[in-house]
Amino acid sequence: MNYCKYDDEYSPLAPGTEYLEINENWANRQITFNGEEYLASNYVYPRWGIMLADGELDYDELVREGEVTPITKDEFEAVWQAHLALHQAEWEAAKRSYQIGTSVDGWIKIFYRQGEIVFLGNALGVADYRACKASTSPEFIMGTGYKISAVVSGYDDENQWIILDSPHVIPVRVV
């Protein structure tokens, strides 16, 4: 894992500092902080949506070119954990609402390297892409907005996501 930051003058929170956790040249977690507000890859923001760098990132080249400043995991985690703390009450309520073994319905919000991010109404879930794809016909092209049914199998406290198992994508767009 590599960690870095840069000043982001184009962020919705500009001026802000963008912090990235990069795993095998892909952003794993991302957060912008402007001293007052956070914008992170694990949460849907009403004005902006949800986001994570969606292309490959050559960390070594970014450092060599001076586009980012390397930081420690501790520096990244300090910002990330401060953001999570703001949403802790919501996260605890979501875990009570979506207990392990519960069947849930939602819709595909976005595709991340970690899996399909599913909007459940008052929380986000994450489902394995291959399992989702296997639940549909081979010719079906996955996309955002499609309905998905699944079973809660756990919790990703690092991202405050509900972990979804046995997903079934229904080829009907709900959004």
Side-chain angles (χ1 to χ4, degrees):
M1 231 41 107
N2 293 299
Y3 299 88
C4 60
K5 68 181 180 181
Y6 66 94
D7 292 330
D8 187 355
E9 61 191 71
Y10 300 106
S11 162
L13 300 181
T17 302
E18 191 81 30
Y19 297 82
L20 290 160
E21 175 185 67
I22 300 173
N23 183 15
E24 298 177 2
N25 288 339
W26 292 93
N28 201 45
R29 294 184 288 168
Q30 181 173 341
I31 187 165
T32 305
F33 181 56
N34 69 358
E36 295 176 13
E37 293 180 276
Y38 297 90
L39 187 61
S41 58
N42 70 321
Y43 193 79
V44 177
Y45 295 88
R47 293 187 300 186
W48 305 297
I50 186 171
M51 82 282 300
L52 182 68
D54 61 355
E56 226 174 323
L57 302 169
D58 186 332
Y59 175 80
D60 294 327
E61 182 179 330
L62 291 170
V63 170
R64 195 171 40 254
E65 296 292 324
E67 294 182 39
V68 299
T69 301
I71 61 172
T72 65
K73 178 180 181 178
D74 289 342
E75 184 176 347
F76 177 89
E77 287 295 340
V79 176
W80 188 261
Q81 293 302 319
H83 156 69
L84 291 183
L86 293 175
H87 301 284
Q88 191 62 35
E90 293 170 65
W91 175 233
E92 293 302 325
K95 290 196 292 187
R96 286 189 301 276
S97 294
Y98 299 103
Q99 295 182 6
I100 293 174
T102 303
S103 295
V104 297
D105 292 322
W107 53 272
I108 299 169
K109 181 74 175 161
I110 195 167
F111 297 91
Y112 279 174
R113 191 162 187 242
Q114 298 94 320
E116 294 186 16
I117 304 304
V118 178
F119 187 71
L120 298 171
N122 62 342
L124 292 177
V126 61
D128 180 76
Y129 176 83
R130 286 182 290 267
C132 290
K133 184 65 179 156
S135 77
T136 65
S137 62
E139 64 276 357
F140 177 70
I141 298 172
M142 298 279 268
T144 60
Y146 284 104
K147 185 175 180 180
I148 184 169
S149 296
V151 176
V152 175
S153 65
Y155 309 106
D156 176 350
D157 289 315
E158 182 176 74
N159 286 297
Q160 296 182 336
W161 291 337
I162 307 296
I163 299 173
L164 304 175
D165 200 9
S166 305
H168 178 73
V169 177
I170 302 157
V172 172
R173 284 192 192 264
V174 293
V175 193

